[in-house]
Amino acid sequence: MSDTASTRATRNTPDHRPLVGAPELLPSLAPLLTEWVPRQRWFAGKGRLLTGFTLLSATELLPCTDPGAPGLLLLLVRAQQSAPPSRTPVGGDCYQLLLGVHPALSPQLAPAVIGRPGGGPLHGRTVYDALLDNRLCALLLERLRVPGRLGALRFCREPDADIPSGLPGRPIAVEQSNSSIVYGDSFILKVFRRIEPGVNPDLELPRALADAKCARVPAPAAWYEAAAAGEGGEATTLGVLQPFLAGSADGWQLALNALAVRADFTGSARALGHATAEVHTALAQTLPTTELRRPQLEVIAAQMHERLDATARAVPVLQPYRARLRTAFDALAATGHDGRSWAAQRIHGDLHLGQTLRSADEGRWSLIDFEGEPARPLAERRRPQPAVRDVAAMLRSFDYAARSGPAGGDPWALEWARRTRDAFCRGYAEAGGLDPRSVPELMRAYETDKAVYEVLYEARHRPDWLSVPMAAIRRLAAGDEPAVGAEGPGPARAAGSDDGRG
Ligand SMILES: Nc1ncnc2c1ncn2[C@@H]1O[C@H](COP(=O)(O)OP(=O)(O)O)[C@@H](O)[C@H]1O
Ligand SMILES: [Mg+2]
């Protein structure tokens, strides 16, 4: 970033007439955005017509009023879409858009172009995806280095965080459910795309873990948020900057590599079990916990039944297994009727191999991406839950790995999955986690619920992968093998997680 840009960003001259509030701003951008937004990987409303946007807020991170100079605009918008599914908040999903504005964009940035508004305050200038422009990425980092307010936004920084200035930023190659920028191999900024009012668990949980001195999760160094609309409301997290674990490899790729050369993965899985238990222990120590008794267990089982019924309606191949699968949820509810209770706490919520990183030097595992399952409402994701739900999800991920790629489904790979699952559970229990093998009712219910979720996801997005969760469905419906250590037939990363969303 040039000095000029940085100076302009922090200046608020009397002649600076902000775009914010200009009534023509959104109408002039809407035709471009209704074309561009649905093509983005992070757009959650695929398959439904996008008819327009409502503007929630507009902030100039770099003034956009000078027609001869580059600008950077942050918009929070609500998408207007046809036939919203039940999970969509009334009025549609909200998104964060970071738009560059330039009078004469360099040809290298051609792939970033969104379009040229035909009117309004940005008339004739090029509007483009700001996160593909190194200069604007650098400006965003500069903003995060200096805490303070800007319009509706607030930039925050941990007092002891050492964030050097001038680190070059580049978007990560794999676009997932959000957009991430890596700064000089030292930091990674995750820009949340679909936003909901309130603190994002991907800030809340890593901060709590940092306070608890749990080093398994990169500690947030800075973040930015939109102020609450009314008094007493919670700010909305928009982005989090955390240390980049350079040279680490993600667990999904490591597992596939091991499978490709028929290598054992039990040592890694056991160590990952340790890491997961450490994170769960620290979360239980620092954030609210609760005890799930009969009424709560009945509600959880009823929700699982509902998801199963809805999925069986949408994916008829599930129908023949429905009655048998229901027994898993009934068994969970029955534990409450028997007077048993289960501890609940904050959990990862979307744990799978793609959310783990292993360092190259010491082989030390870290967990990332604490947002939870992106399709579930924020309030639900922030609720305490049994920690074994994360364990069940990770076991499903080992199954997915064993059923994908060239070795997919071969008996050796299935045995690999069985041993790997066992090793993970062993490691989890050794490091102080509740032994998953001692809670078969919980494990079976959560594994079944996850497999049902995967069936719906694969049927909708990747029909070629449907055989993977269906193999688990057959095993779980048979119910003649314990959930842990049992093996069932299928390929992929976690379905419907950010890795799997298509
Ligand atoms: N702290 C980090 N160090 C190194 N790589 C990271 C880090 N955080 C995320 N990544 C990489 O970025 C990818 C996306 O990050 P993630 O937080 O999972 O975002 P999303 O919600 O889009 O899935 C990860 O799969 C991982 O490869
Ligand atoms: Mg992720």
Side-chain angles (χ1 to χ4, degrees):
M1 182 186 54
S2 72
D3 285 340
T4 336
S6 130
T7 321
R8 286 201 308 122
T10 46
R11 191 183 61 182
N12 200 4
T13 55
D15 63 338
H16 170 54
R17 282 187 297 111
L19 295 186
V20 182
E24 331 82 82
L25 178 65
L26 189 67
S28 66
L29 289 173
L32 314 180
L33 296 177
T34 45
E35 283 284 311
W36 181 77
V37 168
R39 297 202 308 265
Q40 304 311 302
R41 175 82 161 81
W42 41 259
F43 180 59
K46 295 208 166 67
R48 288 179 289 134
L49 190 65
L50 177 63
T51 52
F53 298 95
T54 319
L55 187 63
L56 303 177
S57 84
T59 311
E60 291 168 76
L61 295 179
L62 187 60
C64 303
T65 33
D66 179 350
L72 173 58
L73 189 60
L74 188 152
L75 299 186
L76 302 181
V77 294
R78 187 186 295 283
Q80 293 157 355
Q81 288 199 266
S82 57
S86 55
R87 70 157 182 77
T88 306
V90 177
D93 290 326
C94 296
Y95 293 95
Q96 174 181 192
L97 308 177
L98 279 153
L99 306 178
V101 178
H102 209 287
L105 198 63
S106 92
Q108 286 111 302
L109 282 169
V113 171
I114 297 173
R116 278 171 180 261
L122 302 175
H123 177 75
R125 281 185 273 167
T126 303
V127 173
Y128 65 105
D129 183 353
L131 296 184
L132 296 181
D133 182 344
N134 300 346
R135 268 175 38 110
L136 296 183
C137 288
L139 179 84
L140 207 49
L141 181 69
E142 210 47 40
R143 273 285 176 213
L144 285 159
R145 293 184 63 240
V146 188
R149 297 193 77 104
L150 180 69
L153 306 184
R154 195 157 78 101
F155 290 82
C156 310
R157 172 184 171 161
E158 289 294 358
D160 55 352
D162 179 18
I163 309 169
S165 97
L167 292 174
R170 58 180 160 86
I172 60 163
V174 196
E175 269 278 300
Q176 306 209 321
S177 49
N178 296 292
S179 301
S180 295
I181 308 294
V182 175
Y183 289 100
D185 272 2
S186 316
F187 287 94
I188 180 165
L189 171 65
K190 181 163 168 176
V191 173
F192 297 112
R193 291 304 197 161
R194 191 163 69 83
I195 52 163
E196 278 185 75
V199 62
N200 192 300
D202 206 12
L203 171 64
E204 184 188 21
L205 271 57
R207 282 192 81 200
L209 289 164
D211 285 348
K213 306 274 180 270
C214 174
R216 292 292 190 175
V217 174
W223 61 95
Y224 65 107
E225 58 194 23
E231 219 168 275
E234 260 191 308
T236 301
T237 315
L238 298 178
V240 179
L241 184 76
Q242 53 167 243
F244 182 70
L245 306 177
S248 58
D250 84 81
W252 174 251
Q253 201 51 53
L254 291 166
L256 290 191
N257 295 349
L259 280 156
V261 298
R262 301 202 157 215
D264 176 67
F265 201 64
T266 56
S268 293
R270 189 172 159 201
L272 187 54
H274 287 180
T276 306
E278 277 178 35
V279 168
H280 280 163
T281 304
L283 288 173
Q285 281 165 355
T286 44
L287 291 170
T289 58
T290 180
E291 202 64 26
L292 302 178
R293 301 180 201 282
R294 180 173 173 162
Q296 295 87 354
L297 291 166
E298 278 174 351
V299 169
I300 293 171
Q303 289 167 339
M304 290 174 168
H305 280 300
E306 263 169 45
R307 279 193 286 269
L308 171 61
D309 292 346
T311 305
R313 278 195 298 276
V315 191
V317 290
L318 194 58
Q319 280 291 359
Y321 304 99
R322 216 181 66 153
R324 295 299 308 273
L325 296 174
R326 292 180 73 90
T327 63
F329 308 148
D330 290 337
L332 175 63
T335 63
H337 299 177
D338 295 344
R340 293 161 79 186
S341 67
W342 306 105
Q345 61 163 93
R346 297 299 300 275
I347 63 170
H348 182 283
D350 188 23
L351 193 61
H352 58 81
L353 282 161
Q355 312 276 39
T356 67
L357 293 171
R358 198 177 71 188
S359 71
D361 44 353
E362 307 167 290
R364 188 181 159 77
W365 286 105
S366 299
L367 305 190
I368 57 166
D369 195 357
F370 283 73
E371 259 192 288
E373 245 168 46
R376 299 199 195 221
L378 189 59
E380 189 183 323
R381 290 188 262 145
R382 291 179 68 192
R383 219 171 274 151
Q385 304 175 63
V388 294
R389 194 184 141 204
D390 278 348
V391 175
M394 184 58 92
L395 298 190
R396 292 291 313 123
S397 191
F398 293 134
D399 192 37
Y400 255 81
R403 290 173 185 286
S404 64
D410 100 21
W412 181 86
L414 300 185
E415 175 58 17
W416 177 98
R418 192 194 60 73
R419 279 186 282 114
T420 306
R421 289 159 57 106
D422 267 351
F424 179 83
C425 291
R426 203 165 55 246
Y428 184 81
E430 280 165 2
L434 174 68
D435 190 336
R437 294 161 295 191
S438 71
V439 286
E441 298 95 340
L442 281 184
M443 286 298 294
R444 183 155 170 255
Y446 278 106
E447 236 195 311
T448 303
D449 187 47
K450 184 75 182 178
V452 167
Y453 173 85
E454 292 164 357
V455 165
L456 185 62
Y457 177 83
E458 302 301 6
R460 277 194 181 147
H461 302 283
R462 302 185 297 194
D464 291 355
W465 292 64
L466 188 56
S467 62
V468 180
M470 281 309 296
I473 290 291
R474 282 193 290 277
R475 165 171 65 81
L476 291 157
D480 52 7
E481 291 176 281
V484 179
E487 192 35 52
R493 280 158 109 112
S497 71
D498 43 9
D499 298 326
R501 259 184 325 182

